[in-house]
């Protein structure tokens, strides 16, 4: 996800050991004052009791019944392999999968404001200079979309924007074509045929999931 610690620690260890690795970057992190929703959720869970967060989420959903809920069945098993409490997994499942991307972004931003979470950390993400240094020192930069949404929850047009913009931005920074792509969240059903078609169009050679086991559900 392009965290600064990957440059400060991981990259330097790899370089010292003369090893290469692939770093998958959501290109939006290169914009000033950007904080991805996926990381806002992490901060909320780390700082606020989960029962309070679930109550706040429920109240926000009640106030606006027009929130577009996605197909529950696609993601009912998400986070089941995590060690987190079931309530934490439910909170993450709603905000990452069940509620449409734009609505979820707004809800998470409201939760950040309600709970007075300070995200003014200018060094949380990699910058362009970091990426170029890594790319020039045997590290491979791959795309992870632009803003890290669940791609299968987007229509073709919005998926195209996410995939094409990320490839364009990262290529401008590194001067190299994006041959590698990792699906945001990386589990089954987070991408679809639209996604694969678009990746083929821009010449991506290898795409990756991030599941931590081999599923028996083919």
């Amino acid at each position: 996800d392009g965290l600064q610690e990957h440059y400060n620690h991981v990259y330097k260890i790899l370089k010292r050991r003369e090893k290469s690795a692939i770093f998958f970057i959501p290109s939006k992190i290169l914009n000033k004052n950007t904080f991805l929703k996926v990381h806002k959720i992490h901060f909320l869970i780390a700082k606020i009791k989960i029962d309070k967060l679930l109550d706040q989420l429920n109240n926000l959903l009640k106030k606006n019944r027009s929130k577009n809920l996605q197909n529950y069945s696609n993601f009912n098993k998400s986070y089941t392999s995590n060690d987190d409490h079931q309530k934490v997994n439910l909170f993450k499942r709603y905000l990452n999968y069940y509620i449409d991307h734009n609505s979820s972004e707004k809800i998470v931003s409201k939760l950040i404001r309600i709970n007075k979470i300070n995200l003014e950390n200018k060094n949380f993400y990699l910058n362009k200079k970091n990426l170029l240094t890594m790319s020039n020192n045997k590290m491979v930069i791959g795309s992870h979309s632009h803003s890290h949404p669940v791609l299968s929850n987007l229509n073709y047009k919005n998926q195209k924007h996410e995939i094409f913009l990320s490839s364009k931005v990262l290529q401008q920074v590194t001067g190299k074509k994006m041959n590698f792509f990792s699906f945001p969240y990386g589990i089954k059903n987070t991408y679809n045929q639209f996604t694969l078609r678009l990746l083929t169009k821009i010449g991506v050679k290898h795409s990756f999931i991030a599941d931590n086991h081999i599923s028996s559900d083919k």
Side-chain angles (χ1 to χ4, degrees), residues 121-177:
N121 186 339
K122 298 180 180 179
N123 297 316
F124 190 73
Y125 294 114
L126 298 170
N127 57 43
K128 293 179 182 180
K129 184 178 179 180
N130 297 150
L131 280 183
L132 183 58
T133 298
M134 293 164 70
S135 179
N136 288 339
N137 284 274
K138 298 182 180 180
M139 301 300 137
V140 178
I141 305 302
S143 170
H144 199 35
S145 78
H146 181 63
S147 65
H148 203 283
V150 176
L151 290 169
S152 59
N153 282 347
L154 305 182
N155 60 28
Y156 183 86
K157 179 180 179 181
N158 289 334
Q159 283 200 51
K160 182 177 180 179
H161 172 76
E162 284 285 335
I163 292 170
F164 280 42
L165 178 58
S166 177
S167 180
K168 178 181 178 181
V169 169
L170 295 174
Q171 186 168 325
Q172 287 175 341
V173 172
T174 64
K176 298 174 183 177
K177 188 177 180 302

Side-chain angles (χ1 to χ4, degrees), residues 53-87:
L53 288 175
L54 286 172
D55 285 342
Q56 291 173 342
L57 174 59
N58 187 49
N59 289 334
L60 288 172
L61 289 174
K62 282 181 178 178
K63 287 180 181 178
N64 191 343
R65 296 180 182 277
S66 65
K67 299 302 178 196
N68 182 17
L69 296 181
Q70 308 293 332
N71 186 343
Y72 277 59
S73 61
N74 283 345
F75 303 110
N76 279 340
K77 295 182 180 179
S78 60
Y79 302 118
T80 53
S81 62
N82 286 15
D83 293 330
D84 290 333
H85 191 280
Q86 287 184 356
K87 290 182 179 179

